[in-house]
Short mmCIF file of all heavy atoms in Angstrom, two decimals:
data_model
loop_
_atom_site.label_atom_id
_atom_site.label_comp_id
_atom_site.label_asym_id
_atom_site.label_seq_id
_atom_site.Cartn_x
_atom_site.Cartn_y
_atom_site.Cartn_z
N LEU A 199 91.76 -35.27 -99.75
CA LEU A 199 91.26 -35.74 -98.38
C LEU A 199 92.11 -36.91 -97.91
O LEU A 199 92.87 -37.61 -98.70
CB LEU A 199 89.86 -36.25 -98.58
CG LEU A 199 88.82 -35.24 -99.06
CD1 LEU A 199 87.49 -35.93 -99.19
CD2 LEU A 199 88.71 -34.12 -98.03
N ALA A 200 92.17 -37.14 -96.67
CA ALA A 200 92.84 -38.24 -96.02
C ALA A 200 92.23 -39.60 -96.52
O ALA A 200 91.05 -39.70 -96.61
CB ALA A 200 92.82 -38.25 -94.54
N ARG A 201 93.09 -40.51 -96.91
CA ARG A 201 92.59 -41.82 -97.43
C ARG A 201 92.53 -42.88 -96.39
O ARG A 201 93.22 -42.70 -95.32
CB ARG A 201 93.57 -42.30 -98.51
CG ARG A 201 93.62 -41.47 -99.80
CD ARG A 201 94.40 -42.21 -100.90
NE ARG A 201 94.33 -41.50 -102.16
CZ ARG A 201 94.75 -41.96 -103.37
NH1 ARG A 201 95.14 -43.30 -103.38
NH2 ARG A 201 94.67 -41.33 -104.41
N VAL A 202 91.56 -43.83 -96.58
CA VAL A 202 91.56 -44.92 -95.66
C VAL A 202 92.82 -45.77 -95.93
O VAL A 202 92.98 -46.30 -97.00
CB VAL A 202 90.30 -45.74 -95.93
CG1 VAL A 202 90.31 -46.97 -95.05
CG2 VAL A 202 89.03 -44.93 -95.64
N LEU A 203 93.66 -45.87 -94.87
CA LEU A 203 94.92 -46.65 -95.05
C LEU A 203 94.69 -48.24 -94.77
O LEU A 203 95.19 -49.02 -95.59
CB LEU A 203 95.91 -46.13 -93.97
CG LEU A 203 97.24 -46.87 -93.90
CD1 LEU A 203 98.01 -46.65 -95.17
CD2 LEU A 203 98.04 -46.38 -92.70
N ARG A 204 93.85 -48.47 -93.82
CA ARG A 204 93.58 -49.89 -93.48
C ARG A 204 92.26 -50.01 -92.68
O ARG A 204 91.90 -49.03 -91.96
CB ARG A 204 94.70 -50.56 -92.81
CG ARG A 204 95.00 -50.04 -91.48
CD ARG A 204 96.06 -50.84 -90.72
NE ARG A 204 97.32 -50.58 -91.32
CZ ARG A 204 98.20 -49.54 -90.95
NH1 ARG A 204 97.81 -48.69 -90.05
NH2 ARG A 204 99.28 -49.40 -91.51
N THR A 205 91.66 -51.18 -92.69
CA THR A 205 90.47 -51.48 -91.86
C THR A 205 90.71 -52.79 -91.20
O THR A 205 91.01 -53.82 -91.95
CB THR A 205 89.21 -51.53 -92.75
OG1 THR A 205 89.00 -50.26 -93.38
CG2 THR A 205 88.00 -51.76 -91.78
N ARG A 206 90.65 -52.85 -89.94
CA ARG A 206 90.74 -54.16 -89.22
C ARG A 206 89.54 -54.28 -88.34
O ARG A 206 88.87 -53.31 -87.95
CB ARG A 206 92.05 -54.18 -88.45
CG ARG A 206 93.32 -54.06 -89.37
CD ARG A 206 94.56 -54.41 -88.65
NE ARG A 206 94.68 -55.86 -88.28
CZ ARG A 206 95.32 -56.75 -89.02
NH1 ARG A 206 95.80 -56.39 -90.19
NH2 ARG A 206 95.44 -57.97 -88.59
N ALA A 207 89.29 -55.55 -87.96
CA ALA A 207 88.04 -55.85 -87.21
C ALA A 207 88.38 -56.97 -86.22
O ALA A 207 89.20 -57.79 -86.48
CB ALA A 207 86.85 -56.12 -88.09
N GLY A 208 87.57 -57.05 -85.07
CA GLY A 208 87.75 -58.18 -84.11
C GLY A 208 86.55 -58.07 -83.19
O GLY A 208 85.67 -57.22 -83.34
N LYS A 209 86.54 -58.93 -82.32
CA LYS A 209 85.47 -59.00 -81.31
C LYS A 209 85.43 -57.71 -80.54
O LYS A 209 86.45 -57.11 -80.16
CB LYS A 209 85.59 -60.22 -80.37
CG LYS A 209 86.86 -60.24 -79.49
CD LYS A 209 86.91 -61.48 -78.68
CE LYS A 209 88.15 -61.48 -77.76
NZ LYS A 209 88.23 -62.72 -76.95
N GLY A 210 84.20 -57.29 -80.18
CA GLY A 210 84.08 -56.01 -79.42
C GLY A 210 84.18 -56.27 -77.92
O GLY A 210 84.41 -57.38 -77.47
N GLY A 211 84.00 -55.19 -77.21
CA GLY A 211 84.12 -55.19 -75.75
C GLY A 211 85.46 -54.92 -75.26
O GLY A 211 86.29 -54.43 -75.97
N VAL A 212 85.75 -55.23 -74.01
CA VAL A 212 86.97 -54.94 -73.28
C VAL A 212 87.94 -56.14 -73.44
O VAL A 212 87.56 -57.31 -73.15
CB VAL A 212 86.65 -54.69 -71.86
CG1 VAL A 212 88.03 -54.30 -71.05
CG2 VAL A 212 85.71 -53.42 -71.67
N ALA A 213 89.19 -55.89 -73.79
CA ALA A 213 90.15 -56.89 -73.92
C ALA A 213 90.41 -57.55 -72.53
O ALA A 213 90.43 -56.90 -71.44
CB ALA A 213 91.50 -56.39 -74.44
N GLY A 214 90.59 -58.88 -72.58
CA GLY A 214 91.00 -59.61 -71.36
C GLY A 214 89.82 -60.23 -70.60
O GLY A 214 90.02 -60.79 -69.49
N VAL A 215 88.60 -59.88 -71.05
CA VAL A 215 87.38 -60.45 -70.26
C VAL A 215 86.46 -61.09 -71.36
O VAL A 215 86.58 -60.80 -72.55
CB VAL A 215 86.67 -59.35 -69.57
CG1 VAL A 215 87.61 -58.69 -68.44
CG2 VAL A 215 86.09 -58.32 -70.40
N GLU A 216 85.57 -61.84 -70.89
CA GLU A 216 84.53 -62.58 -71.75
C GLU A 216 83.63 -61.42 -72.24
O GLU A 216 83.09 -60.59 -71.55
CB GLU A 216 83.80 -63.54 -71.12
CG GLU A 216 84.68 -64.85 -70.84
CD GLU A 216 84.99 -65.57 -72.04
OE1 GLU A 216 84.25 -65.44 -73.05
OE2 GLU A 216 86.14 -66.31 -72.05
N ASN A 217 83.29 -61.43 -73.53
CA ASN A 217 82.43 -60.47 -74.16
C ASN A 217 81.32 -61.20 -74.97
O ASN A 217 81.58 -62.27 -75.45
CB ASN A 217 83.12 -59.44 -75.04
CG ASN A 217 84.04 -58.56 -74.21
OD1 ASN A 217 83.58 -57.64 -73.57
ND2 ASN A 217 85.31 -58.74 -74.31
N THR A 218 80.21 -60.59 -75.13
CA THR A 218 79.08 -61.13 -75.84
C THR A 218 79.36 -61.03 -77.32
O THR A 218 80.07 -60.13 -77.78
CB THR A 218 77.77 -60.46 -75.52
OG1 THR A 218 77.90 -59.08 -75.91
CG2 THR A 218 77.47 -60.62 -74.12
N PRO A 219 78.99 -61.99 -78.22
CA PRO A 219 79.26 -62.00 -79.70
C PRO A 219 78.43 -61.03 -80.46
O PRO A 219 78.73 -60.87 -81.65
CB PRO A 219 78.88 -63.40 -80.06
CG PRO A 219 77.77 -63.80 -79.13
CD PRO A 219 78.14 -63.16 -77.79
N ASP A 220 77.50 -60.23 -79.80
CA ASP A 220 76.74 -59.31 -80.61
C ASP A 220 77.42 -57.93 -80.79
O ASP A 220 76.87 -57.05 -81.40
CB ASP A 220 75.43 -59.05 -79.86
CG ASP A 220 75.55 -58.48 -78.49
OD1 ASP A 220 76.67 -58.45 -77.93
OD2 ASP A 220 74.51 -58.01 -77.95
N ARG A 221 78.70 -57.83 -80.33
CA ARG A 221 79.40 -56.56 -80.53
C ARG A 221 80.76 -56.87 -81.44
O ARG A 221 81.32 -57.91 -81.36
CB ARG A 221 79.98 -55.99 -79.16
CG ARG A 221 78.88 -55.39 -78.35
CD ARG A 221 79.45 -54.99 -77.01
NE ARG A 221 80.37 -53.97 -77.07
CZ ARG A 221 80.27 -52.88 -76.32
NH1 ARG A 221 79.27 -52.61 -75.54
NH2 ARG A 221 81.25 -51.91 -76.45
N ARG A 222 80.99 -55.91 -82.32
CA ARG A 222 82.08 -56.01 -83.16
C ARG A 222 82.87 -54.70 -83.21
O ARG A 222 82.32 -53.60 -83.15
CB ARG A 222 81.61 -56.25 -84.66
CG ARG A 222 82.77 -56.74 -85.56
CD ARG A 222 83.06 -58.18 -85.46
NE ARG A 222 84.03 -58.61 -86.40
CZ ARG A 222 84.92 -59.63 -86.21
NH1 ARG A 222 84.85 -60.30 -84.98
NH2 ARG A 222 85.69 -60.04 -87.02
N LYS A 223 84.21 -54.80 -83.22
CA LYS A 223 85.06 -53.65 -83.16
C LYS A 223 85.71 -53.49 -84.53
O LYS A 223 86.25 -54.39 -85.08
CB LYS A 223 86.18 -53.84 -82.10
CG LYS A 223 87.05 -52.61 -81.99
CD LYS A 223 88.12 -52.84 -80.90
CE LYS A 223 87.50 -52.90 -79.54
NZ LYS A 223 88.48 -52.94 -78.40
N PHE A 224 85.58 -52.22 -85.10
CA PHE A 224 86.22 -51.86 -86.34
C PHE A 224 87.25 -50.75 -86.05
O PHE A 224 86.89 -49.79 -85.43
CB PHE A 224 85.08 -51.39 -87.38
CG PHE A 224 84.17 -52.48 -87.80
CD1 PHE A 224 82.99 -52.76 -86.95
CD2 PHE A 224 84.37 -53.29 -88.81
CE1 PHE A 224 82.08 -53.70 -87.36
CE2 PHE A 224 83.54 -54.35 -89.17
CZ PHE A 224 82.38 -54.54 -88.50
N VAL A 225 88.39 -50.89 -86.64
CA VAL A 225 89.49 -50.03 -86.48
C VAL A 225 89.83 -49.47 -87.83
O VAL A 225 90.30 -50.21 -88.74
CB VAL A 225 90.73 -50.62 -85.76
CG1 VAL A 225 91.81 -49.61 -85.68
CG2 VAL A 225 90.37 -51.20 -84.43
N ILE A 226 89.61 -48.14 -88.15
CA ILE A 226 89.85 -47.55 -89.44
C ILE A 226 90.98 -46.54 -89.28
O ILE A 226 90.87 -45.65 -88.45
CB ILE A 226 88.58 -46.85 -89.92
CG1 ILE A 226 87.39 -47.89 -90.02
CG2 ILE A 226 88.81 -46.44 -91.44
CD1 ILE A 226 86.28 -47.40 -88.94
N ASP A 227 92.01 -46.63 -90.02
CA ASP A 227 93.12 -45.76 -89.99
C ASP A 227 93.07 -44.86 -91.24
O ASP A 227 92.89 -45.36 -92.36
CB ASP A 227 94.51 -46.49 -90.04
CG ASP A 227 94.86 -47.12 -88.71
OD1 ASP A 227 94.22 -46.79 -87.64
OD2 ASP A 227 95.70 -48.00 -88.70
N PHE A 228 93.16 -43.49 -91.01
CA PHE A 228 93.15 -42.52 -92.05
C PHE A 228 94.55 -41.93 -92.10
O PHE A 228 95.21 -41.59 -91.08
CB PHE A 228 92.13 -41.43 -91.82
CG PHE A 228 90.68 -41.91 -91.75
CD1 PHE A 228 90.07 -42.36 -90.62
CD2 PHE A 228 89.92 -41.89 -92.96
CE1 PHE A 228 88.77 -42.74 -90.60
CE2 PHE A 228 88.64 -42.35 -92.90
CZ PHE A 228 88.01 -42.71 -91.75
N GLU A 229 94.98 -41.57 -93.32
CA GLU A 229 96.31 -40.96 -93.45
C GLU A 229 96.33 -40.05 -94.68
O GLU A 229 95.70 -40.30 -95.69
CB GLU A 229 97.40 -42.03 -93.65
CG GLU A 229 98.89 -41.43 -93.73
CD GLU A 229 99.88 -42.58 -93.92
OE1 GLU A 229 99.60 -43.55 -94.59
OE2 GLU A 229 100.96 -42.48 -93.28
N GLY A 230 97.07 -38.86 -94.52
CA GLY A 230 97.30 -37.99 -95.69
C GLY A 230 96.36 -36.87 -95.76
O GLY A 230 95.55 -36.61 -94.95
N GLY A 231 96.37 -36.18 -96.91
CA GLY A 231 95.47 -35.02 -97.17
C GLY A 231 95.73 -33.93 -96.22
O GLY A 231 96.81 -33.73 -95.68
N ILE A 232 94.68 -33.20 -95.89
CA ILE A 232 94.76 -32.06 -94.98
C ILE A 232 95.11 -32.59 -93.58
O ILE A 232 95.78 -31.80 -92.87
CB ILE A 232 93.37 -31.34 -94.94
CG1 ILE A 232 93.04 -30.87 -96.40
CG2 ILE A 232 93.44 -30.15 -94.02
CD1 ILE A 232 91.68 -30.33 -96.47
N LEU A 233 94.79 -33.75 -93.22
CA LEU A 233 95.04 -34.28 -91.80
C LEU A 233 96.57 -34.20 -91.58
O LEU A 233 96.95 -34.03 -90.41
CB LEU A 233 94.51 -35.63 -91.64
CG LEU A 233 93.05 -35.83 -91.38
CD1 LEU A 233 92.71 -37.34 -91.18
CD2 LEU A 233 92.65 -35.07 -90.14
N ARG A 234 97.36 -34.49 -92.57
CA ARG A 234 98.83 -34.43 -92.40
C ARG A 234 99.35 -33.14 -91.95
O ARG A 234 100.32 -32.99 -91.21
CB ARG A 234 99.48 -34.85 -93.71
CG ARG A 234 100.96 -34.97 -93.60
CD ARG A 234 101.64 -35.19 -94.97
NE ARG A 234 101.28 -36.42 -95.52
CZ ARG A 234 100.55 -36.62 -96.67
NH1 ARG A 234 100.10 -35.58 -97.35
NH2 ARG A 234 100.32 -37.78 -97.15
#
Side-chain angles (χ1 to χ4, degrees):
L199 300 176
R201 292 191 177 194
V202 176
L203 178 64
R204 67 177 69 88
T205 304
R206 301 190 67 93
K209 63 182 180 181
V212 181
V215 300
E216 291 290 335
N217 291 286
T218 59
D220 61 349
R221 288 174 64 127
R222 192 82 176 152
K223 180 179 295 186
F224 295 88
V225 178
I226 309 114
D227 287 344
F228 297 90
E229 184 181 37
I232 301 173
L233 280 180
R234 183 188 294 116

